[in-house]
Amino acid sequence: MPLVIAAVAPHSPLLLRTVSGEQTVSLAPTLAALEQLAVELAQARVETIVAIGDHGQLRPDALTLAQPPTFNFDLKEFGDVVTAREFKPDVQFGNTVRSYGETNLPLLTVAPPRLSYAVGIPLLLLAAHLPQVKISCFGPALLPASDHQALGAVLRHAAEGTATRIAI
């Protein structure tokens, strides 16, 4: 059972006190839910988080797999010069998806210089108790829903073929 958790998380920079200051008080229920999910991820001993979200330029004709040497994330664009995190990619999982997906769906491998906040904010919050977690990051495209559903099927196929404990 390598796919241990699947969840959807918000990505607003306002979730972080370093960006929104005391305004995070109004987001207390959301932050509590995200913290509970972070604890569940740690209890499930998740080794890889598969993130699906925009990690740069949305492409019109291909879904993307981000495979940089390291995923870097910061919030300098929001005036936060303190928050930063580095994540290691799960190259093996990415390669499994790529080898299967390139023949079954429009998938392009990219190496963005940094994670966008749309992916970085949820990862920052959800991996709070997982210092060694690896990341596999996929981006949507301006394609029909059927191509995005096919990506989900490829991810499930890849997850079923590994012993790595995966959260999507």
Side-chain angles (χ1 to χ4, degrees), residues 10-13 15-16 73 75 116-126:
H11 63 265
S12 174
L15 291 165
L16 301 179
F73 176 67
L75 289 166
S116 73
Y117 75 90
V119 174
I121 297 287
L123 289 177
L124 186 68
L125 296 169
L126 297 176

Side-chain angles (χ1 to χ4, degrees), residues 120-153:
I121 297 287
L123 289 177
L124 186 68
L125 296 169
L126 297 176
H129 308 294
L130 297 167
Q132 302 301 318
V133 73
K134 292 182 180 178
I135 305 302
S136 194
C137 185
F138 297 85
L142 298 173
L143 293 170
S146 58
D147 287 320
H148 293 85
Q149 290 169 334
L151 173 61

Side-chain angles (χ1 to χ4, degrees), residues 72-157:
N72 295 299
F73 176 67
D74 64 60
L75 289 166
K76 292 177 185 169
E77 66 189 290
F78 297 100
D80 176 356
V81 296
V82 176
T83 304
R85 175 128 185 221
E86 185 177 276
F87 297 96
K88 298 293 182 198
D90 186 334
V91 176
Q92 183 176 0
F93 185 79
N95 286 342
T96 299
V97 171
R98 184 176 57 208
S99 66
Y100 184 79
E102 283 182 337
T103 59
N104 295 290
L105 58 113
L107 183 66
L108 178 66
T109 303
V110 297
R114 57 183 291 278
L115 286 172
S116 73
Y117 75 90
V119 174
I121 297 287
L123 289 177
L124 186 68
L125 296 169
L126 297 176
H129 308 294
L130 297 167
Q132 302 301 318
V133 73
K134 292 182 180 178
I135 305 302
S136 194
C137 185
F138 297 85
L142 298 173
L143 293 170
S146 58
D147 287 320
H148 293 85
Q149 290 169 334
L151 173 61
V154 169
L155 292 174
R156 189 185 94 215
H157 173 79

